[in-house]
Amino acid sequence: MRHNGRTPIKASAMRPEHLSLRDGQPRMAVCPDCQTWHRLVRSMIRPHRDGVDVPMSSERRYLGEKPSGGRRCPGSAQRIDIDITPDQWSEKLLMAEITAVGRRTSRPIRKPRPQASPAPIQMPAATRTLRDQLAEHLQNDCHRCRAGRCACAIELRQRIRRTAQLAAAPATPIYGQLRTAFREHRAFCTACETGALCDTGGKLAARMTDIARDHLPRTA
């Protein structure tokens, strides 16, 4: 095999990832023309074809069938001057990989901004009693609250959330009628005025609770 007449390429001038000088393995290099890997035979790139079709001609150069794969690549038989040792090549390959990793820009992951809790003046008046109870509980310096495991504070916050959702949710016509009937009943019922609901008041309250549960999202 004769070389292609081009100036030999020094291995030290090639990109380390375009060369393979591993011990115990055949030496290989990337063809400078077609950018494909090929073995080195006597420090020259093994002849190969680049897949480019050649125009048909009447001149027949082959006795048998025409070889497939297109024309002979001009990079065939390119001489590679191995002027570095396998250890030097491995070191250059490692430095190239480290440089490539350092140049990669990591895309920042934007965290969603936490929604600010509404101001007390923006919260519905229906939650005022529950908010007062929660504030009074927190002022008692509860050691469970400091640890974040206070069941009383968790329950109060859940009740405040459900009450606020109920106040903000559009009331259904049935719920509005039941609420009006419940208010009128309590205004004239002596048993309900004492705090304990009578049978009729209890049924109205239970019906309103069922409707509220059906129209409110589940809260943990």
Side-chain angles (χ1 to χ4, degrees):
M1 177 177 60
R2 295 183 178 179
H3 64 85
N4 57 8
R6 296 180 180 178
T7 304
I9 301 176
K10 292 184 178 296
S12 58
M14 295 179 60
R15 296 174 57 178
E17 61 270 22
H18 287 182
L19 193 65
S20 177
L21 302 179
R22 292 184 176 89
D23 292 334
Q25 296 183 7
R27 293 184 174 182
M28 302 183 66
V30 173
C31 175
D33 288 71
C34 63
Q35 301 299 314
T36 55
W37 282 93
H38 297 282
R39 292 184 61 176
L40 295 178
V41 181
R42 300 201 306 270
S43 297
M44 290 184 291
I45 296 178
R46 188 173 182 177
H48 57 279
R49 300 186 178 274
D50 57 4
V52 179
D53 295 334
V54 295
M56 298 294 294
S57 62
S58 58
E59 181 182 0
R60 187 173 183 83
R61 300 178 56 188
Y62 305 96
L63 298 177
E65 295 182 357
K66 182 178 179 181
S68 59
R71 66 179 184 178
R72 176 187 171 98
C73 180
S76 299
Q78 171 65 50
R79 190 180 297 277
I80 306 296
D81 184 10
I82 308 298
D83 60 341
I84 56 176
T85 63
D87 293 339
Q88 292 174 342
W89 167 79
S90 299
E91 185 177 354
K92 290 184 62 176
L93 182 62
L94 180 60
M95 292 301 298
E97 292 178 353
I98 295 176
T99 304
V101 172
R103 289 178 179 176
R104 295 174 186 170
T105 57
S106 57
R107 179 179 298 178
I109 301 176
R110 296 183 179 180
K111 296 182 179 180
R113 295 182 179 178
Q115 296 182 355
S117 58
I121 194 173
Q122 296 176 343
M123 301 185 70
T127 63
R128 181 175 302 171
T129 303
L130 295 173
R131 285 188 282 112
D132 292 341
Q133 294 178 8
L134 179 61
E136 183 179 358
H137 175 80
L138 295 177
Q139 290 176 358
N140 294 332
D141 195 16
C142 176
H143 67 280
R144 292 183 177 270
C145 289
R146 292 196 300 269
R149 299 190 302 269
C150 182
C152 181
I154 294 175
E155 182 182 359
L156 285 173
R157 289 190 176 95
Q158 292 178 352
R159 291 177 60 186
I160 292 173
R161 189 185 307 113
R162 288 194 294 265
T163 304
Q165 291 174 346
L166 180 60
T172 61
I174 299 178
Y175 184 85
Q177 295 173 7
L178 289 174
R179 183 173 56 184
T180 302
F182 180 72
R183 290 177 178 176
E184 293 178 353
H185 173 76
R186 291 194 62 181
F188 297 98
C189 181
T190 55
C192 293
E193 289 180 355
T194 59
L197 297 178
C198 66
D199 188 21
T200 303
K203 291 181 179 180
L204 290 173
R207 180 57 176 161
M208 292 170 59
T209 303
D210 293 340
I211 295 177
R213 289 177 179 176
D214 293 339
H215 288 79
L216 285 179
R218 296 292 181 180
T219 57

